[in-house]
């Protein structure tokens, strides 16, 4: 619940970041449309699934979350200087503070998923988790290529060979 609330808050923060960095977009309909289409959570509607996940499923989810959080953390580091550079001077301190808060949150998501994995490693063994990390890192790599290939083709075709 703590994590999902953070991620819901982040989705709203990214809209705020876009508005601060590009104030000329604030009145564009896609900004309000995007904001109203964001996932929201009514905590009282959230119920535990009747059938609990197996330890293997939980570990697999944690590994994927850990890798995903690391990727997000890296993405923020890569894009932060660009966002700040585009932000009008008057909004820069706010934007820097929001980006720093996002980095802190992502770092805590990396840490807490790693802490749970550490606990599982003590019971099911390090080797099994290592193998899962390698497999899921490969999956994430392929997924990232799929997600970014269209943009690379359009904006940096000379980088295409670097993807594979
Ligand atoms: Fe996160």
């Amino acid at each position: 619940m703590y994590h999902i609330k953070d991620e819901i808050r982040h989705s709203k923060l990214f809209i705020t970041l876009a508005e601060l960095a590009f104030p000329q977009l604030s009145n564009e309909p896609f900004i309000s449309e995007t904001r109203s289409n964001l996932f929201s959570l009514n905590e009282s509607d959230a119920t535990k699934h009747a059938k609990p996940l197996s330890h293997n499923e939980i570990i697999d989810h944690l590994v994927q979350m850990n890798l995903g959080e690391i990727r997000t953390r890296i993405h923020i580091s890569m894009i932060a200087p660009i966002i700040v550079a585009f932000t009008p001077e008057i909004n820069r301190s706010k934007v820097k503070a929001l980006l720093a808060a996002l980095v802190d949150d992502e770092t805590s998501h990396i840490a807490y998923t790693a802490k749970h994995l550490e606990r599982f490693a003590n019971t099911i063994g390090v080797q099994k988790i290592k193998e899962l990390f390698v497999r899921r890192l490969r999956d994430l790599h392929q997924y990232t290529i799929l997600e970014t290939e269209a943009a690379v083709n359009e904006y940096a075709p000379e980088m295409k060979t670097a993807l594979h």
Side-chain angles (χ1 to χ4, degrees), residues 26 35 60 76 105 115 148 158:
S26 287
R35 183 174 273 124
D60 190 19
I76 295 172
D105 286 350
K115 202 183 275 181
T148 54
E158 70 280 2

Side-chain angles (χ1 to χ4, degrees), residues 68-137:
E69 298 298 336
I70 291 169
R71 182 177 73 160
T72 304
R73 171 73 179 76
I74 292 169
H75 283 172
I76 295 172
S77 299
M78 286 165 62
I79 205 164
I82 300 165
I83 295 175
V84 170
F86 276 105
T87 302
E89 187 62 47
I90 192 162
N91 291 338
R92 276 200 185 149
S93 59
K94 263 190 212 162
V95 163
K96 284 180 182 175
L98 287 179
L99 288 165
L102 280 168
V103 164
D104 284 351
D105 286 350
E106 298 309 343
T107 305
S108 77
H109 298 163
I110 295 165
Y112 103 85
T113 49
K115 202 183 275 181
H116 286 304
L117 284 168
E118 184 82 35
R119 195 165 50 85
F120 278 114
N122 290 331
T123 55
I124 70 154
V126 174
Q127 193 55 34
K128 202 171 174 185
I129 292 182
K130 268 188 181 172
E131 286 164 9
L132 201 51
F133 257 100
V134 169
R135 184 157 67 84
R136 288 307 188 185
L137 182 60

Side-chain angles (χ1 to χ4, degrees), residues 6-7 15 17 31 45 47 66 68 74-75 81 85 96-97 105 109 112 121 127 129 139 157 160 162:
D6 264 4
E7 299 299 357
I15 304 280
L17 271 175
I31 294 277
D45 290 342
T47 53
N66 187 264
I74 292 169
H75 283 172
K96 284 180 182 175
D105 286 350
H109 298 163
Y112 103 85
Q127 193 55 34
I129 292 182
D139 292 347
K160 204 174 171 192

